């Protein structure tokens, strides 16, 4: 690193403000530059960014189409917000994670930071525009300055796909729809079997209270519980007791609860639980949990949903139901101790919950707008589908026909026919060579999966036809030029 | 500003690292916060960023579909690059505009800058991955720290839609396709009549040479000529003479040439021109210009294309053909002196050219990859289409049917039917209320343009039917529940 960064400095100082030399005089320049670039040409690697190549983009487009299709099926609108916000807008929303926020250099004007998630900008948007209900999705990149030391194949720039329902409604109906959406998307993406853990911040807080956790320790104990998906109970317990100074009794009582998993039945049982039932908060959460499951039954998704008292979620702004979807098989195995983009173990592919207080924080009058939402851990989905696709061939273009010729001096005719096809809405390519070999034109079709070739020759031009070749079957047929467009559309539809 | 920023400072210091108080104890907090936010809640306004609301997003989606459809019709793949690059990657590529680059705060690690355009990252990508030919499009946001004083309704965060063809090909064929693409897109978007100005850096440089401009003044004189679209010749001339120290004779000779406009014929005339013909560069450019027009004739786009010797383009990296599309009517009138996102007058909606030297700058061995491309000035297109749409109603969702009921206590039945429709791929909405009024359910359909309502009642449930209502005609018909999905699909197809 020392070498590379020192040469990159040298390079920067040297080139500052220079302009490209006028054409012709390049070569010596570029060779000279090459020497330096040899060290410096790279992406901001330690910042965990990456390029997407055409194959990755083709996969990404499929995934987005599936996800956006689901969001639209549920009647969502979409919005967009700037990539940077006022630094103060992000301040105090992410608890311990605030240190991961990217700041822009102060070049005059306001202090700016790159968005850390899409939820806080959404809340800012609602308050700023006095919107009291909306169902919206937002797909965009967010940025986190994760400690390079802990970065393991994790990106500092990554997509989030958020779906949120804002508004004052009857309890648990929008919450249930969010879970239905997770169920639909994960099923459609065919990532293998999955489970959706559900819990409620009020149940956690109530549990902490009845277990004798001091109020001021709720959040910190909560983030320790959050580690149960990658730490043993023993380790979690000792962190609570030794690091966070919780009493052993309290820790052990928590231990009994957080081991519990179930469904509606568990919620009912805990409502009868001698200790739990003492907490109003817990009872409110448990009653809603029962209601949530009754809606999930109507949506026929209870097969994948588990009420899990160990689910805590890191972020501070959750106030009610929280959930997290994890893959139970397939895909690359999550590295131990690994945390993914939603701040949960990488086994996780979606997470979210209810945050009724966030919008009020941005409203001059503290006007509250209850919100519930879900974020799809899309980068994890990409990497799984990329792995699956690594073997097979993925088309990166949609070209339907290649306009070719076997003889020389037909460039003009090829260009004319290609333009005819473009103007008719046909996806067509032509080689940028005066006299390309027919073989290389056919080879290009094989390589990029173009199904048809329209071949022109002196004879075809005389006869007013085009030789239409099926790349796969290699069959050729003369088609009247006037009927070519219709014939191509027919052939494509048949495929 | 003083007041707001001081309170925002106070606010930031005060809140740093705090977390949301646990639920229930909010209210006092939020009112207190409200007092401060009353001053601080806003977008980074002086940085010219903006939110897109659902209506704007609906328009944006249409525009992108048109543009991407055209790019795909021409067989393009797509890639994506990170929003920030190493600062050194951008250094020395933009000439005088380099001062507009946004830097990230140095929080350890490399020095980073937000991308200024999509062309330099594309060149970096090609060199880094040793790609010698590709036809790709890239649609993403870029960032420019424009001097607030000169900002007039211009954004510091804006989209670019770039299409580029990289590779060693026979002259002018890819160049002609780029112009064909501009012609197709501007025609499809129906922005009103337009013209595409074309010139060539080699013709400009040759012209400067034969007019007696010293080599070291080429670029600076070039950027003065670039101002001809918004300054009179007199002002341009005096800038050349007084500020740039050019001789009056040279200026006047340039004046004769830059007033010339035409087509193939003009290129032929200038090839015979006593002075011009002395410059090898100019002749090369003029010969290619003739060839370009012959291809444009085959593409049937010469009606909109003008060979204009006053077209210069600001950026340094162009080495051959350059072009720029301007709207000749409609749309908001460009403000005098205004420069748009491509660094050209806002009348401009597309611009581009050939840059054969850029990739070589990033290649260790200086290996050259000739490139030609075009960038669509999409923000200008948005604002024009937004203005057009300001009156009419634009749908922001695609919901096909609303699941409603006229009677109480049918929430469960509504949820069940809605899930059936979702699972059948129907875009459906249901109100998140236990007992919504039928009128409010119908009103929502009117407001958001939902064409159908599926109404449930005790009777319908008994009869195993659903009352399907056409929102527009208000006609209602009982449909067997088993046939509902098919009937809805039929009705939607008919619309």
């Amino acid at each position: 690193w020392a070498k590379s960064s020192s040469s990159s400095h040298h390079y920067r100082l040297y080139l500052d403000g220079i302009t490209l030399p006028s054409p012709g005089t390049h070569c010596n320049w570029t060779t000279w530059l090459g020497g330096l670039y040899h060290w410096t040409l790279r992406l901001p690697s330690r910042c965990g960014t990456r390029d997407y190549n055409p194959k990755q983009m083709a996969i990404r487009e499929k995934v987005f189409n599936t996800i956006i299709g689901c969001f639209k099926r549920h009647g969502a609108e979409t919005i967009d917000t700037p990539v940077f916000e006022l630094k103060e807008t992000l301040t105090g929303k992410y608890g311990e994670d605030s240190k991961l926020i990217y700041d822009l250099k102060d070049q005059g004007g306001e202090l700016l930071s790159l968005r850390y998630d899409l939820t806080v900008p959404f809340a800012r948007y609602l308050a700023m525009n006095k919107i009291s209900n909306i169902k919206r999705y937002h797909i965009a990149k967010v940025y986190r300055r994760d400690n390079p030391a802990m970065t393991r194949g994790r990106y500092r720039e990554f997509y989030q796909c958020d779906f949120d329902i804002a508004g004052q409604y009857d309890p648990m109906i929008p919450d249930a729809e969010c879970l239905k959406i997770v169920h639909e998307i994960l099923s459609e993406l065919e990532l293998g079997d999955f489970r959706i853990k559900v819990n409620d911040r009020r149940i956690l807080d109530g549990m902490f209270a009845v277990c004798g956790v001091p109020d001021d320790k709720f959040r910190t104990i909560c983030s320790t519980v959050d580690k149960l998906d990658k730490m043993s109970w023993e380790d979690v317990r000792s962190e609570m007791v030794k690091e966070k100074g919780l009493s052993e009794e309290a820790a052990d009582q928590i231990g009994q609860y957080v081991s519990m998993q179930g469904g509606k039945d568990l919620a009912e049982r805990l409502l009868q639980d001698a200790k739990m039932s003492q907490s109003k908060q817990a009872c409110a959460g448990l009653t809603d949990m029962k209601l949530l499951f009754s809606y999930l039954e109507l949506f026929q998704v209870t097969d994948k949903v588990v009420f899990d008292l160990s689910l805590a979620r890191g972020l501070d702004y959750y106030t009610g139901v929280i959930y997290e979807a994890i893959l139970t098989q397939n895909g690359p195995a999550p590295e131990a101790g690994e945390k993914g983009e939603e701040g949960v173990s990488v086994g996780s592919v979606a997470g979210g919950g209810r945050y009724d207080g966030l919008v009020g924080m941005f409203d001059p009058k503290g006007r509250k707008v209850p919100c519930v939402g879900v974020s799809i851990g899309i980068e994890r989905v990409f990497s799984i589908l990329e792995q699956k696709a690594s073997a097979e061939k993925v088309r990166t273009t949609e070209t339907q026909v290649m306009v070719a010729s076997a003889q020389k001096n037909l460039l003009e005719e090829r260009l004319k026919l290609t333009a005819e096809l473009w103007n008719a809405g046909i996806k067509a390519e032509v080689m940028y060579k005066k006299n390309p070999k027919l073989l290389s034109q056919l080879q290009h079709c094989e390589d990029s999966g173009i199904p048809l070739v329209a071949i022109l020759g002196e004879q075809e031009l005389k006869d007013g036809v085009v030789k239409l070749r099926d790349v796969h079957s290699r069959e050729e047929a003369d088609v009247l030029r006037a009927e070519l467009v219709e014939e191509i559309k027919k052939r494509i539809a048949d495929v």
Side-chain angles (χ1 to χ4, degrees), chain A:
Chain A
W1 282 117
K3 188 159 193 176
S4 96
S5 65
S6 73
S7 65
S8 76
H9 274 82
H10 165 212
Y11 170 71
R12 191 171 59 261
L13 292 174
Y14 196 102
L15 274 195
D16 230 356
I18 76 141
T19 63
L20 260 179
S22 50
T25 65
H26 277 132
C27 324
N28 27 352
W29 265 107
T30 42
T31 356
W32 177 84
L33 284 169
L36 295 171
Y37 261 114
H38 165 246
W39 290 112
T40 57
L41 179 63
R42 61 189 194 278
L43 275 173
S45 48
R46 281 185 306 182
C47 295
T49 62
R50 62 166 169 180
D51 295 319
Y52 284 86
N53 64 36
K55 183 174 178 178
Q56 292 167 317
M57 288 298 281
I59 294 168
R60 198 172 100 175
E61 191 177 351
K62 274 207 201 79
V63 174
F64 280 159
N65 288 342
T66 304
I67 292 172
I68 292 171
C70 175
F71 291 158
K72 287 184 171 179
R73 194 160 60 237
H74 286 259
E77 312 177 286
T78 187
I79 68 163
D80 195 15
T81 64
V83 79
F84 45 70
E85 294 275 346
L86 291 176
K87 183 174 171 54
E88 71 213 35
T89 301
L90 307 188
T91 305
K93 311 298 186 307
Y94 303 108
E96 297 176 355
D97 291 344
S98 296
K99 62 181 183 301
L100 303 183
I101 294 172
Y102 262 111
D103 295 331
L104 261 64
K105 187 172 162 191
D106 185 350
Q107 293 164 292
E110 286 103 340
L111 293 171
L112 305 172
S113 302
L114 296 181
R115 60 185 163 208
Y116 180 90
D117 66 6
L118 301 177
T119 309
V120 167
F122 176 56
R124 191 264 311 152
Y125 174 85
L126 293 184
M128 204 169 127
N129 298 286
K130 309 223 173 317
I131 295 166
S132 57
N133 50 48
I134 186 174
K135 191 194 307 190
R136 84 91 180 79
Y137 70 91
H138 189 188
I139 298 183
K141 287 174 175 175
V142 301
Y143 300 87
R144 299 187 186 179
R145 275 187 63 258
D146 255 326
N147 180 346
M150 16 174 315
T151 320
R152 294 202 208 79
R154 210 154 81 252
Y155 296 105
R156 287 182 155 193
E157 174 186 61
F158 57 89
Y159 268 98
Q160 280 194 341
C161 299
D162 283 20
F163 173 93
D164 296 82
I165 300 171
Q168 187 65 59
Y169 300 117
D170 285 321
M172 295 300 115
I173 311 175
D175 314 60
E177 184 171 11
C178 289
L179 292 170
K180 166 70 171 154
I181 281 174
V182 174
H183 192 283
E184 285 180 21
I185 289 174
L186 294 184
S187 307
E188 278 186 68
L189 289 176
E190 296 174 329
L191 302 168
D193 200 11
F194 60 90
R195 218 154 13 89
I196 309 176
K197 298 185 203 167
V198 187
N199 197 5
D200 191 304
R201 272 286 165 93
R202 294 166 298 171
I203 298 176
L204 280 165
D205 288 341
M207 174 184 81
F208 292 143
V210 298
C211 293
V213 178
D215 293 21
D216 61 349
K217 282 203 165 65
F218 277 18
R219 283 284 157 275
T220 176
I221 293 299
C222 192
S223 40
T224 308
V225 169
D226 189 36
K227 299 177 182 169
L228 270 169
D229 55 7
K230 51 184 199 310
M231 272 165 60
S232 71
W233 164 249
E234 287 63 36
D235 298 348
V236 168
R237 183 182 187 281
S238 74
E239 181 176 315
M240 287 178 173
V241 175
K242 300 208 179 69
E243 290 176 38
K244 312 265 170 114
L246 188 66
S247 72
E248 302 218 323
E249 303 64 36
D252 292 331
Q253 293 186 28
I254 292 174
Q256 291 172 359
Y257 285 117
V258 294
S259 63
M260 297 181 180
Q261 291 195 344
K264 207 176 188 173
D265 54 320
L266 176 58
E268 276 154 355
R269 224 168 61 239
L270 287 169
L271 272 170
Q272 309 310 321
D273 180 87
K275 254 205 267 81
M276 273 291 201
S277 54
Q278 291 165 18
S279 159
K280 271 211 182 64
Q281 267 201 328
C283 291
L286 289 164
T287 313
D288 277 347
M289 187 61 69
K290 272 178 59 181
L291 190 59
L292 176 64
F293 268 91
S294 68
Y295 294 148
L296 295 179
E297 282 161 10
L298 295 167
F299 287 162
Q300 298 161 35
V301 293
T302 41
D303 57 324
K304 307 286 187 190
V305 185
V306 187
F307 173 28
D308 182 330
L309 277 93
S310 71
L311 177 68
R313 308 273 303 153
L315 297 173
D316 285 319
Y317 48 62
Y318 291 120
T319 57
V321 173
I322 49 176
Y323 35 81
E324 185 176 309
I326 54 167
L327 299 179
T328 55
Q329 55 177 46
N330 294 11
E335 279 183 62
E338 181 86 27
K339 302 272 282 181
E341 59 263 14
E342 266 72 42
V344 295
S345 78
V346 270
S348 158
V349 285
R354 176 164 286 283
Y355 49 101
D356 291 347
L358 193 57
V359 177
M361 280 191 75
F362 289 108
D363 187 276
K365 300 202 177 61
R367 215 180 290 104
K368 278 198 190 181
V369 179
C371 296
V372 62
V374 60
S375 185
I376 309 295
I378 196 69
E379 299 292 339
R380 167 108 172 118
V381 173
F382 289 152
S383 56
I384 292 171
L385 295 179
E386 268 177 55
Q387 260 202 353
K388 281 190 180 176
S390 55
E392 65 203 62
K393 207 163 172 188
V394 177
R395 274 202 78 177
T396 57
T397 71
E398 298 175 10
T399 309
Q400 299 163 325
V401 57
M402 172 87 180
V403 176
S405 93
Q407 298 141 352
K408 286 187 180 293
N409 308 322
L410 289 173
L411 172 62
E412 283 72 13
E413 290 296 339
R414 281 189 289 128
L415 293 181
K416 237 174 90 184
L417 178 56
T418 308
E420 281 175 30
L421 296 175
W422 285 332
N423 295 343
I426 303 283
K427 297 175 183 140
E429 280 184 61
V430 59
M431 283 217 160
Y432 305 125
K433 299 268 181 195
K434 273 211 176 66
N435 299 309
K437 292 192 176 52
L438 181 61
L439 198 66
S440 64
Q441 297 172 84
L442 296 178
Q443 190 54 52
H444 174 71
C445 295
E446 298 275 2
D447 297 343
S448 62
I450 301 173
L452 297 170
V453 194
I455 303 172
L456 285 171
E458 295 300 350
Q459 193 55 48
E460 285 79 8
L461 289 167
K462 269 203 213 69
D463 304 348
V465 297
V466 174
K467 203 176 284 306
L468 194 57
R469 177 189 172 104
D470 181 308
V471 174
H472 182 64
S473 70
R474 302 189 173 183
E475 285 162 15
E476 297 184 342
D478 284 355
V479 179
L480 280 176
R481 180 124 175 190
E483 294 165 3
L484 182 61
V485 168
E486 281 324 302
E487 178 62 21
I488 291 172
K489 286 184 179 164
K490 207 182 122 304
R491 299 276 195 106
I492 297 301
D494 297 348
V495 170

